């Protein structure tokens, strides 16, 4: 695992954007696995800025997102499709048809999951998969449990995730209780993984990912079995590792 410990959120965002930009420049037809949530917002801002400065093009890029709330329309302002449009896709030259987010309204969820996996396989998996991490160690919406789920699936969100994400909704009751999530198989199938984390409330998840037992109780820990992972975290997210003497 290659580790970057950055001073603060902005430095973390810039470093993560550099890793993505390097991939896009090196392979202008690459497949990007993308994430939503508050952590990558700054990363996407840098990518949009660099696109506007003429340093990057997304014209040949195809993207697959990690997850989507079940039951939200694409134009719902808390849907992950909406997030991707407003934070990245609407501001760069990516071809709309080349972006894919699970369909939160799919009439046949099992079929949507199977088709999503078939699509990812048809692309040859992501060249670079961006991941945030939940406070409980989830990646995508692969919540802690007693086993890993390989395929794209419908997840019952953990209470702690509903609580954490309620900050984006008017009330806690408005937070969807289920989501579509890429499984561990597609995440581990990516050629390279970029994990980003910011803030003190991620310190335990980052510590358990890097140093804890490898297992489904902390889904992020499986990344230690992946041969090409880059972790970019700010000092606050890194604090438990720093206290344990890990000094990249
Ligand atoms: C988002 C996703 C989630 C988030 C995680 C952290 O697509 O898959 O795993 O990365 O919940 O979210 P934030 O960044 O909001 O703390």
């Amino acid at each position: 695992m290659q580790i970057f410990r950055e001073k603060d959120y902005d430095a973390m965002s810039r470093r993560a954007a550099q890793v993505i930009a390097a991939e896009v420049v090196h392979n202008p037809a690459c497949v990007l696995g993308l994430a939503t949530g508050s952590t990558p917002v700054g990363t996407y801002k840098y990518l949009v800025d660099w696109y506007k400065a003429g340093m990057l093009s997304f014209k040949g890029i195809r993207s697959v997102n990690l997850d989507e709330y079940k039951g939200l329309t694409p134009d719902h302002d808390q849907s992950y499709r909406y997030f991707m449009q407003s934070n990245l896709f609407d501001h760069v030259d990516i071809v709309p048809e080349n972006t894919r987010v699970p369909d939160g309204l799919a009439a046949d969820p099992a079929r949507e999951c199977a088709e999503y996996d078939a699509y990812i396989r048809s692309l040859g998996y992501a060249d670079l998969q961006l991941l945030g991490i939940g406070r409980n160690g989830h990646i995508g919406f692969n919540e802690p449990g007693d086993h890993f789920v390989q395929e794209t699936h419908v997840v019952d969100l953990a209470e702690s995730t509903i609580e954490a994400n309620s900050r984006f909704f008017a009330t806690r009751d408005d937070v969807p209780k289920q989501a579509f999530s890429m499984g561990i198989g597609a995440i581990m199938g990516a050629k390279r993984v970029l994990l980003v984390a910011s803030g003190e409330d991620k310190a335990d998840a980052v510590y358990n990912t890097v140093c804890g037992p490898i297992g489904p109780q902390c889904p992020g820990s499986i990344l230690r079995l992946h041969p090409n992972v880059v972790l970019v975290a700010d000092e606050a997210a890194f604090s438990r590792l720093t206290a344990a003497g890990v000094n990249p």
Side-chain angles (χ1 to χ4, degrees):
M1 189 180 285
Q2 184 183 18
I3 299 179
F4 291 96
R5 182 175 58 189
E6 301 294 341
K7 186 163 60 73
D8 54 19
Y9 178 77
D10 184 57
M12 182 278 299
S13 301
R14 188 181 167 86
R15 176 72 70 190
Q18 283 172 343
V19 174
I20 297 171
E23 182 73 39
V24 169
V25 169
H26 174 72
N27 179 4
C30 71
V31 177
L32 293 180
L34 297 176
T36 62
S38 49
T39 313
V41 168
T43 302
Y44 292 140
K45 277 204 181 98
Y46 272 107
L47 292 175
V48 170
D49 285 354
W50 296 340
Y51 164 74
K52 287 185 175 157
M55 292 158 64
L56 278 180
S57 170
F58 294 82
K59 216 178 246 165
I61 302 298
R62 284 153 305 159
S63 72
V64 277
N65 261 78
L66 280 169
D67 39 23
E68 178 60 287
Y69 285 120
K70 188 164 181 285
L72 293 194
T73 56
D75 60 354
H76 187 291
D77 66 2
Q78 291 307 324
S79 79
Y80 287 168
R81 165 55 77 178
Y82 185 93
F83 174 100
M84 289 312 304
Q85 292 302 136
S86 49
N87 283 282
L88 183 66
F89 299 157
D90 286 348
H91 311 289
V92 299
D93 59 350
I94 197 162
V95 178
E97 297 72 44
N98 289 348
T99 69
R100 189 125 173 206
V101 179
D103 175 5
L105 297 180
D108 182 345
R111 184 167 169 189
E112 172 65 12
C113 292
E115 287 181 357
Y116 207 69
D117 280 334
Y119 180 67
I120 294 169
R121 272 196 306 274
S122 78
L123 296 176
Y125 294 87
D127 291 292
L128 179 66
Q129 175 66 58
L130 174 63
L131 294 177
I133 189 154
R135 293 175 201 174
N136 62 5
H138 72 218
I139 50 176
F141 275 136
N142 294 276
E143 299 282 23
D146 55 14
H147 65 285
F148 288 113
V149 180
Q150 291 296 316
E151 301 82 18
T152 297
H153 55 294
V154 174
V155 189
D156 293 326
L157 296 176
E159 279 304 315
S160 60
T161 300
I162 293 170
E163 187 62 43
N165 290 1
S166 64
R167 69 192 193 277
F168 300 117
F169 291 83
T171 73
R172 195 180 186 284
D173 286 346
D174 294 328
V175 186
K177 307 293 177 283
Q178 289 188 310
F180 288 90
S181 179
M182 213 186 257
I184 293 295
I187 293 172
M188 292 296 279
K191 295 175 190 70
R192 197 169 188 217
V193 173
L194 168 61
L195 175 64
V196 292
S198 170
E200 187 86 42
D201 61 342
K202 299 294 173 68
D204 285 344
V206 170
Y207 177 86
N208 290 329
T209 293
V210 176
C211 290
I214 296 175
Q217 291 77 16
C218 174
S221 64
I222 189 108
L223 298 175
R224 299 224 301 283
L225 301 181
H226 190 288
N228 196 347
V229 176
V230 185
L231 165 64
V232 184
D234 62 16
E235 279 176 8
F238 221 87
S239 54
R240 254 198 87 188
L241 281 174
T242 310
V246 179
N247 267 311

